[in-house]
Amino acid sequence: MTILIDLGQTPLPDPSGVDEDRPRAIDPALPRVDRIFYAGARAVGVLVLLIMGAIGVFLGVQSIPTFKRYGLSFFTQNQWLPERDILGISAVLLGTFTVAVVALAIAFPLALSVALYISEYAVPRIKGLLVSMIDLMAAIPSIVWGLWGFFLLQPRAINLAHWLNVNLGFLPFFHVDTDPNAPVWAQSRYAASAFIAGIAVSMMVLPMAAAVMRQVFSQAPLGEREAALALGSTKWGMIRTVVLPFGRGGIIGGTMLSMGRALGETIAVVLIISPSFDIKFRPLEVGTSTVSALIAGRFGEATSAQLSALLTAGFVLFIITLIVNTLAATIVSRSRSGAVTD
Amino acid sequence: MSVLLSPATGRVTDFSGGVLSAQGVSAWFGSNKVLERVSLDMPAKTVTALIGPSGCGKSTFLRVLNRMHELVPSARLNGEVLLDGEDIYATGHRITATRKRIGMVFQKPNPFPAMSIADNVVSGLKLAGVKNWRSDRDWIIETSLTRAGLWKEVKDRLKEPGSALSGGQQQRLCIARSLAVEPEVLLMDEPCSALDPTSTRRVEETISEIREQVTVVIVTHNMQQAARVSQQCAFFLAEQGTPGGIVEVGDTEQIFQSPVDQRTADYVNGRFG
Ligand SMILES: Nc1ncnc2c1ncn2[C@@H]1O[C@H](COP(=O)(O)OP(=O)(O)OP(=O)(O)O)[C@@H](O)[C@H]1O
Ligand SMILES: [Mg+2]
């Protein structure tokens, strides 16, 4: 039901115009507590919007000199050599996406299985334990994930990277520019890569993706679940026909939210990668760079012109993340499951 | 027993209702006992109506009959449910096979909203892992919808989503979906309580038509409905603080005309409950 609230600008319908049939003004007559709460909540909402807008405007204004100076080449140039006045973000953008794609490729199946296990299979005690473990995982600071990635993960992951190169190296994205079958294989060629950084980032985005998915799965209507089971379905059949279709919006949305987070992840990436500005899509190979890692690495010694260039890179990332997150939110809210959540 | 012959493939389908028998069924939710030693025979070619006041355990009993009861984590039960003489709870009886043989229609229509009407009808065949039905797909859809009294209304819109139908049509779609897997028994829990009088009539007609082929057990709060569709009637009651049980069971006519127990008489005449 819609109630049209007239705020006083439009004149009330003429009482004499008997024939006129248009929506009449209704005084919502909110009690005082409601009015106070309403105003307060609205103020906070507006504030959030203002802060977001202010960040965008600030970054945008700071970017103007850079866009003027470098023009389109800012997007096509891959090197970042302020001393020679050559600046561009094509390589770091590619690196950013490479890390995010690796992170999602790992986090997505894990999050999906964990969420399905928690919402469909786990007995209540294990369910509670797992949920709190995953929440805890989300609370681990990213610097810790960075250290974990560097000291614990990397020595092991390079073996996996080597194995992938040996066995699947014919696929371009598993290729590493070195002789994989050399008697002593070049370990350093497999270290500090987008692959290893991506694994660390995947651990960071997994909790959020799993939480969103678990939430929507648990809202799959009981009636439809029981309908499937009563027809003689297996549990897995029920999940496939009821839970997954219902949760599709949440699966996509949760993944894209994680993508937004993965695109911006900084400190863990900085710790693991060794900077490189080549245009390549070889995640297993040493060296990559991301926008946020670039900013973090160059910010300290930057002159004001370079600072503007770094902020421009940040602006581009901001816009991309904004688009990804907006898309994610739209998908979630358009879907059946999202309509329930909102 | 009636036989249907698929024109496309010559597929023969025997429909013959199963004999269902509950023996000493008790049920608990946690430590709360809601049914005590309920025994009831539900013969083939017969519609059995379960009546009784709210909360006396009719739905619980019905869900025990096709192993839906155990979906509730705290649910426990005792006793046996025999389908054609075999205990469906015996070890080695696959739960999915049992549920395929004993279908269920719920109070609230629950078609799969993302599927088309046609896909809804055959969804059970897919879910239950029935083999070699695809060549008969159109025929199964038509016969199932016809048996559920829905064919004429939807035959030109089979590709529309199931959720596009009215509530009464959705419920008949759910009945068609249940019938498509050729169950021997169909359990119905207040299938008309969300429907208008016309749709209710249609569902009742459907029940009368399928009873030769499927044993029907129906829970209803509507005395006239129980009188109209059933041949056998069981009156459930849970007296204050005690688990529910059957007070009286007999031919529907007898239960309504000359009940033996005073409490049955009071209930069917609307004096309590
Ligand atoms: N999921 C459940 N968990 C705990 N207790 C339950 C559950 N479902 C039912 N009960 C209890 O079991 C008893 C019997 O419930 P049941 O749903 O079988 O009654 P009913 O006869 O179908 O009632 P109605 O006519 O209102 O549908 C009630 O006391 C109810 O509170
Ligand atoms: Mg009930």
Side-chain angles (χ1 to χ4, degrees):
Chain A
M1 185 174 65
T2 333
I3 294 175
L4 285 160
I5 295 172
D6 190 285
L7 294 172
Q9 285 89 340
T10 39
L12 287 173
D14 183 1
S16 63
V18 203
D19 292 333
E20 231 177 338
D21 185 16
R22 53 184 184 118
R24 60 174 288 194
I26 296 174
D27 178 10
L30 286 180
R32 189 146 92 215
V33 258
D34 280 349
R35 275 212 307 275
I36 293 171
F37 182 76
Y38 182 67
R42 189 171 51 183
V44 174
V46 168
L47 190 69
V48 170
L49 271 183
L50 278 181
I51 293 175
M52 275 298 282
I55 294 174
V57 167
F58 166 77
L59 287 174
V61 168
Q62 295 291 319
S63 309
I64 293 172
T66 309
F67 282 137
K68 273 202 180 126
R69 186 173 174 83
Y70 300 100
L72 259 188
S73 81
F74 187 74
F75 291 99
T76 53
Q77 174 58 246
N78 62 315
Q79 290 299 330
W80 191 275
L81 302 166
E83 54 281 5
R84 282 170 44 200
D85 203 19
I86 298 176
L87 292 178
I89 56 168
S90 61
V92 290
L93 272 187
L94 183 62
T96 307
F97 277 105
T98 310
V99 171
V101 166
V102 171
L104 283 190
I106 295 165
F108 175 77
L110 285 180
L112 189 63
S113 346
V114 166
L116 275 181
Y117 177 70
I118 292 178
S119 80
E120 305 302 319
Y121 291 100
V123 296
R125 260 195 24 236
I126 296 187
K127 189 184 264 190
L129 187 74
L130 263 178
V131 169
S132 43
M133 289 303 285
I134 288 180
D135 288 348
L136 201 68
M137 210 171 154
I140 295 176
S142 47
I143 182 86
V144 175
W145 283 119
L147 293 171
W148 169 82
F150 188 82
F151 288 108
L152 267 131
L153 175 70
Q154 176 149 289
R156 290 158 183 84
I158 54 175
N159 293 314
L160 175 60
H162 177 240
W163 184 89
L164 285 171
N165 184 25
V166 170
N167 293 290
L168 299 167
F170 56 89
L171 298 169
F173 49 90
F174 284 143
H175 182 72
V176 176
D177 235 0
T178 169
D179 177 13
N181 298 312
V184 182
W185 53 281
Q187 298 212 349
S188 62
R189 294 292 295 160
Y190 298 90
S193 64
F195 174 61
I196 294 167
I199 300 179
V201 173
S202 75
M203 293 299 119
M204 278 177 263
V205 301
L206 184 129
M208 175 159 56
V212 174
M213 294 182 196
R214 177 175 64 84
Q215 184 102 39
V216 294
F217 292 159
S218 65
Q219 283 165 349
L222 186 65
E224 284 163 45
R225 288 167 179 271
E226 293 202 326
L229 293 174
L231 286 165
S233 170
T234 57
K235 186 140 194 176
W236 172 235
M238 183 276 286
I239 291 173
R240 260 191 3 227
T241 32
V242 177
V243 179
L244 290 180
F246 178 84
R248 206 179 60 204
I251 297 173
I252 300 173
T255 308
M256 288 181 76
L257 279 179
S258 316
M259 174 109 183
R261 166 110 206 258
L263 287 172
E265 183 45 47
T266 311
I267 192 68
V269 177
V270 171
L271 275 183
I272 291 170
I273 59 165
S274 73
S276 139
F277 293 91
D278 299 335
I279 295 275
K280 60 167 189 185
F281 191 73
R282 293 198 292 273
L284 299 180
E285 190 174 286
V286 62
T288 186
S289 190
T290 69
V291 173
S292 50
L294 173 80
I295 298 173
R298 301 299 176 93
F299 175 76
E301 73 230 28
T303 64
S304 72
Q306 292 166 23
L307 194 62
S308 158
L310 288 175
L311 286 170
T312 312
F315 181 57
V316 174
L317 183 64
F318 176 83
I319 297 292
I320 293 173
T321 323
L322 203 68
I323 293 172
V324 170
N325 280 356
T326 313
L327 270 179
T330 321
I331 291 172
V332 174
S333 64
R334 283 254 180 96
S335 70
R336 234 180 113 214
S337 39
V340 179
T341 341
D342 277 358
Chain B
M1 183 194 295
S2 58
V3 175
L4 283 177
L5 189 71
S6 158
T9 59
R11 171 194 175 106
V12 178
T13 316
D14 290 350
F15 295 110
S16 54
V19 178
L20 197 62
S21 168
Q23 310 212 318
V25 168
S26 300
W28 294 260
F29 288 104
S31 58
N32 178 24
K33 191 173 190 181
V34 301
L35 282 178
E36 180 155 306
R37 293 183 196 283
V38 178
S39 297
L40 181 64
D41 284 328
M42 289 148 278
K45 298 182 196 293
T46 304
V47 177
T48 302
L50 312 182
I51 58 171
S54 184
C56 65
K58 305 179 297 293
S59 299
T60 308
F61 179 70
L62 206 65
R63 291 167 63 89
V64 168
L65 295 181
N66 74 337
R67 303 195 62 169
M68 296 297 282
H69 179 60
E70 65 210 65
L71 289 178
V72 178
S74 67
R76 303 281 179 275
L77 72 101
N78 189 21
E80 291 181 346
V81 176
L82 307 180
L83 174 59
D84 295 332
E86 284 189 64
D87 183 13
I88 63 170
Y89 285 95
T91 45
H93 270 248
R94 281 230 313 283
I95 189 166
T96 49
T98 301
R99 289 190 184 137
K100 180 183 163 289
R101 294 174 68 191
I102 309 177
M104 190 163 210
V105 174
F106 297 81
Q107 180 169 5
K108 201 171 148 235
N110 51 7
F112 301 122
M115 281 185 203
S116 69
I117 293 172
D119 284 337
N120 259 291
V121 176
V122 292
S123 60
L125 297 158
K126 269 183 225 167
L127 285 168
V130 175
K131 298 205 169 57
N132 304 326
W133 57 271
R134 266 165 232 273
S135 47
D136 284 322
R137 185 173 182 273
D138 293 341
W139 176 74
I140 292 172
I141 290 169
E142 180 173 347
T143 38
S144 305
L145 285 170
T146 309
R147 292 171 84 197
L150 187 61
W151 173 249
K152 287 202 191 82
E153 286 157 73
V154 300
K155 64 172 188 286
D156 298 321
R157 40 194 294 214
L158 292 172
K159 292 206 166 65
E160 285 176 34
S163 51
L165 297 173
S166 77
Q169 292 172 326
Q170 286 187 19
Q171 190 65 301
R172 279 177 283 150
L173 177 59
C174 293
I175 294 175
R177 180 177 66 184
S178 295
L179 292 175
V181 297
E182 295 165 17
E184 292 155 54
V185 180
L186 190 59
L187 311 175
M188 307 176 109
D189 193 351
E190 301 182 40
C192 304
S193 65
L195 307 188
D196 64 290
T198 317
S199 300
T200 301
R201 261 270 145 58
R202 303 295 286 273
V203 172
E204 289 179 5
E205 282 164 21
T206 300
I207 294 171
S208 305
E209 279 158 22
I210 61 175
R211 121 174 120 90
E212 287 295 315
Q213 304 143 10
V214 188
T215 308
V216 176
V217 185
I218 179 172
V219 173
T220 178
H221 280 288
N222 181 330
M223 293 305 115
Q224 288 84 28
Q225 180 168 69
R228 279 194 299 263
V229 301
S230 72
Q231 290 78 49
Q232 174 180 260
C233 189
F235 173 54
F236 278 69
L237 188 63
E239 269 155 331
Q240 199 64 49
T242 63
I246 294 181
V247 170
E248 187 171 354
V249 56
D251 287 351
T252 302
E253 212 163 300
Q254 177 253 316
I255 292 283
F256 281 92
Q257 308 297 332
S258 51
V260 176
D261 197 290
Q262 186 56 42
R263 293 168 296 179
T264 314
D266 288 344
Y267 184 75
V268 298
N269 293 315
R271 282 198 284 273
F272 82 90

